[in-house]
Amino acid sequence: MNGMLDDVRPVGSAPPVRRGFGPPLTRRELLGGATSLGLASILGSGWVPAAMGARRPRRPVPLPPPAQVKADFQRMVDFGPRLTGSPAHNAYVAWLEREFGAAGLELIPCDVYETERWLAQDYGLEVLEGPGAGPVQVAAYYPRSQQTSAAGVIGPLVYAGAAPPLSVSGEDPAALEDALAAYPGELQSWASALSGTLGSTAEGAVLLLDVPAPPPATTAIFLPPYSTYLNWPGHSEAEWAGADYKRPWTVPGVAMAPTSPFHELGAVAVVFIVDASYDAFKGCYGPFESGFEDLPALYADRDTGSALRALANARPKTRVTLTGTLEKVPSPAVTAVLPGASEETIIFNTHTDGTGFVEENGGVAFVQLARYFATLPSAQRLKRSLVFAAWPGHFAADLPQCQGWIDAHPDIMRRAAAALTVEHLGCTEWDDKLDGGYQPTGLPEAFAIWTTQGKMSETTREAVIAHNLPRTALMRPPAQFGVGGAFQSYGIPQIGAIAGPYYLLTVSDNGDMDKLDPALAASQIAFLADLVKRLDQIPAAQLREGDPTLGYGGNAGGENTAHEESCKRR
C-alpha cells in the first residue's frame, strides 16, 4: 500500500466562507499605530499596524545569500506537503505571518476560507488471481478521485485502449492551452464509443487505459513571437528551441482525463497509464485543481502499464484501494504591508499551498524581501508601499485564488501601480528520457516572465540583463501561465515570473531539495528587489502605457464576496 496525504474537497458552487482565527481587533488597537500611510488609508484598506516599526529590525538585513535561501526553503519543506487546508499548510501560513511580523510589517486582517478537506490515507492496486497475482507498483493517485472503503473495489482488469492524442504541435503555448482545455470533451466522445467496442465487459471492471500524458512539447514555446526577449548569453535560438518540455503539470488544472465517461460505462475504477518512467512520475499530484471525480483512479508508469496490459488479456480480478476522510477546515490568506511615503502600492503575489520546495516558494522569497526592504536606510526606502499577498486555493477546486484576493482588497487595488507574481524559484532542469531515465540535464530550468508590454516590459528586461538571469524568456500577455494573469485582466501592470520543472507537482520525502539551485534562487530574488526599486521611480500612468491587452476582459473592481477578519497571530 502507498501512504497518502491531505487533500481538499470543494464545497460547491456557493461563494467561499471566510472565518477568522481570533477576535477582531478593537478600535483602540487599530488606532494605536497609525502613522505613515495616514489614518484614513489604513482604515480604508484594513491594514493592521504592528506597532509601526517596533518589531522592525534595527540592523540592516541584506538580500539573502544562497545558504540563507536554502535554509528558508528547507524550513518550508520541513512542514511537509502543504496541500490546501492541511495541518502542514496551516503551519506554513502561520510561519509566514510570524516572519512578516518579525520583519516589522503590518498584517491586514485575514481572509479565511472554509473548505472540505479530504485527508487521504492509503492507495494501492492488487491483482488477485492468475500468474501476475500480487501488489502492483503504483506511481501516484488521482487527487480527489472517488474514495473507497478499506476493502477497496474489485473487478476484472479490462484494457480499454489508448485515449486520443492531443491535437497540438507542442510548440505554441496558446495552442497547447487550448488543446488541454478541449481535451476532456474529446475524451468524452472517445469513451462514449467504447460501449460498442467493450460491450458489457466494462460493467463492474477496473478499466486500464493509456493517456497522452505528459503531453508533448518543446522549449520552442519560449521563442518569438510568444516571447519578446531571450536572456541566455552564449546560447543560440536553436538551443532555446531544441529541448524536450514534456511536463506533468500541463495535465492538471483542466482535468485532462476525467473519470466520468468511464463511470457511465459501469466501471468501478480506472488505472491511467502515463508516458513516463516510475521515477519521474512517482508522487505526482495531478490534476491539482480538479474537482471530485466519479471513480477511484490511479496512475501507472509506462513499464508497469505494459505489464498490466499483458495481464489484462486474461481479465484477472483486481482490487483498487483509495481511502480517505472528509473534514471542513479553515485555510487563511496572508497580506502583509510595508508602508511607504506614498499611498500607491506595489503588490507581490503568490499562493501558499504546494508540494515540495518548488510549489510554492514564492512566499519564502517574500519574507526574505520583506526583511531586506524593511531595514533599508531611510534615504533608500521605497516611496510606494509594498504589499505581500499570499493566498490559498491553488491546490483545491473551490477557492477563488488570485482573483479572490483581488476582489477582497479593492482599496489596495485602486492604488496599485504594479504587481509582481512570483512562483517556482531556483529550479534545475530534469528530463525523463527513454534511453537514460529520469536525470538532471545540468541546465537551469527555463524561467518565463510574462510582463505587461511598454515601460513594464522595458524595465523588466533591464533588470534581467543586470542580473544576468540564465535561460530567462520575457513573454507577452494576455495568454499567460501561472497565477498572476488576473492582474493583467484587472488593468494593473504586472509580471508573472514562473518556472515549470518536471518535478513541479511531486510529493517526495525530501521535497526535491536535491533539485534546488540556491545560487540561482538568490539571483532571482535579487532581480526582484532591483526590479521593484526601478519600478518605484516610474509614474503609475507611464507603467500603464503601451499594452492594449491591459485590462481587456477583466473587471476594474470585482465583487468582494467575503469579510476580512483578524487572524490569531501564531
Side-chain angles (χ1 to χ4, degrees):
M1 303 296 282
N2 300 273
M4 293 185 66
L5 299 162
D6 293 325
D7 203 352
V8 178
R9 181 177 183 176
V11 177
S13 59
V17 179
R18 307 185 185 187
R19 296 177 181 171
F21 280 94
L25 292 178
T26 66
R27 182 174 177 82
R28 180 186 300 273
E29 291 170 324
L30 187 58
L31 298 181
T35 61
S36 60
L37 281 174
L39 181 61
S41 296
I42 294 175
L43 291 176
S45 63
W47 293 358
V48 179
M52 297 305 292
R55 291 181 288 173
R56 190 169 295 161
R58 296 179 181 179
R59 183 176 301 174
V61 176
L63 288 169
Q68 183 65 55
V69 171
K70 183 176 181 179
D72 285 343
F73 282 8
Q74 183 66 61
R75 180 70 184 94
M76 177 188 69
V77 167
D78 287 344
F79 288 115
R82 297 153 309 283
L83 304 179
T84 315
S86 68
H89 181 219
N90 288 334
Y92 168 60
V93 171
W95 179 83
L96 289 176
E97 291 175 348
R98 290 194 299 270
E99 293 301 315
F100 282 130
L105 276 66
E106 287 77 49
L107 289 166
I108 289 181
C110 293
D111 314 316
V112 182
Y113 300 85
E114 186 176 79
T115 189
E116 193 171 5
R117 182 190 66 204
W118 177 29
L119 179 60
Q121 296 173 322
D122 290 295
Y123 67 100
L125 179 66
E126 184 180 7
V127 176
L128 300 177
E129 60 185 12
V136 177
Q137 179 175 262
V138 175
Y141 65 92
Y142 192 120
R144 289 175 291 278
S145 59
Q146 186 62 244
Q147 66 193 51
T148 72
S149 67
V153 294
I154 297 175
L157 184 66
V158 175
Y159 182 60
L166 287 172
S167 304
V168 65
S169 69
E171 298 180 355
D172 182 336
L176 179 60
E177 188 174 13
D178 291 343
L180 291 171
Y183 191 78
E186 296 173 7
L187 186 69
Q188 177 75 53
S189 298
W190 173 79
S192 296
L194 284 178
S195 59
T197 304
L198 298 177
S200 61
T201 58
E203 186 71 31
V206 174
L207 286 185
L208 177 71
L209 68 149
D210 288 278
V211 291
T218 72
T219 47
I221 64 174
F222 298 109
L223 294 182
Y226 316 111
S227 65
T228 59
Y229 176 69
L230 301 174
N231 195 77
W232 199 15
H235 294 267
S236 67
E237 194 168 286
E239 289 176 280
W240 264 102
D244 180 35
Y245 203 66
K246 288 179 67 173
R247 298 291 187 265
W249 57 262
T250 54
V251 179
V254 295
M256 181 178 172
T259 65
S260 56
F262 311 108
H263 180 260
E264 294 172 5
L265 292 174
V268 297
V270 181
V271 178
F272 295 115
I273 303 172
V274 295
D275 183 19
S277 68
Y278 176 77
D279 289 340
F281 210 84
K282 180 183 178 182
C284 181
Y285 188 85
F288 62 90
E289 291 177 306
S290 69
F292 265 54
E293 292 293 324
D294 296 315
L295 294 176
L298 304 175
Y299 292 110
D301 65 90
R302 64 167 74 95
D303 292 333
T304 301
S306 178
L308 287 172
R309 279 195 298 270
L311 291 176
N313 290 327
R315 298 182 178 175
K317 286 185 179 179
T318 302
R319 185 199 318 270
V320 169
T321 305
L322 183 55
T323 64
T325 58
L326 297 174
E327 181 183 4
K328 287 187 177 180
V329 295
S331 189
V334 177
T335 306
V337 180
L338 179 63
S342 167
E343 291 194 353
E344 289 187 345
T345 64
I346 296 177
I347 301 168
F348 278 105
N349 169 70
T350 196
H351 61 94
T352 54
D353 34 4
T355 48
F357 92 84
V358 188
E359 288 276 21
E360 176 50 67
N361 59 36
V364 179
F366 291 176
V367 166
Q368 295 163 339
L369 289 166
R371 295 167 182 163
Y372 169 73
F373 280 110
T375 58
L376 285 175
S378 298
Q380 298 178 25
R381 290 188 180 177
L382 301 178
K383 293 180 294 184
R384 293 183 173 117
S385 298
L386 280 184
V387 176
F388 295 93
W391 40 263
H394 195 50
F395 278 67
D398 63 328
L399 300 186
Q401 302 196 53
C402 180
Q403 188 63 54
W405 186 91
I406 288 173
D407 292 346
H409 300 282
D411 187 64
I412 295 177
M413 293 299 297
R414 280 193 294 269
R415 294 184 283 112
L420 292 79
T421 298
V422 180
E423 301 178 83
H424 317 159
L425 303 176
C427 300
T428 57
E429 183 182 62
W430 283 58
D431 275 344
D432 185 34
K433 298 185 180 301
L434 285 172
D435 57 351
Y438 187 48
Q439 60 187 358
T441 67
L443 299 175
E445 180 71 19
F447 192 59
I449 306 177
W450 274 266
T451 174
T452 300
Q453 298 302 286
K455 192 65 175 178
M456 190 77 182
S457 180
E458 295 170 11
T459 307
T460 302
R461 174 174 175 167
E462 292 168 359
V464 166
I465 294 172
H467 293 269
N468 196 23
L469 295 188
R471 213 178 182 192
T472 297
L474 298 191
M475 310 290 288
R476 64 173 80 245
Q480 180 169 336
F481 286 114
V483 300
F487 287 98
Q488 180 80 12
S489 298
Y490 191 101
I492 304 301
Q494 58 94 28
I495 70 162
I498 186 171
Y502 199 105
Y503 48 88
L504 179 63
L505 302 176
T506 301
V507 175
S508 63
D509 292 338
N510 71 345
D512 286 307
M513 285 292 290
D514 58 312
K515 301 175 180 64
L516 167 67
D517 183 343
L520 174 60
S523 295
Q524 292 166 335
I525 292 169
F527 150 75
L528 292 167
D530 184 19
L531 178 57
V532 167
K533 291 179 180 180
R534 294 170 187 258
L535 295 175
D536 195 48
Q537 306 300 315
I538 303 172
Q542 191 174 353
L543 290 173
R544 289 192 292 268
E545 296 174 351
D547 191 335
T549 72
L550 186 63
Y552 179 76
N555 58 41
E559 180 183 358
N560 185 355
T561 61
H563 298 289
E564 294 178 345
E565 302 183 22
S566 66
C567 282
K568 184 167 99 177
R569 304 302 173 212
R570 299 178 292 273

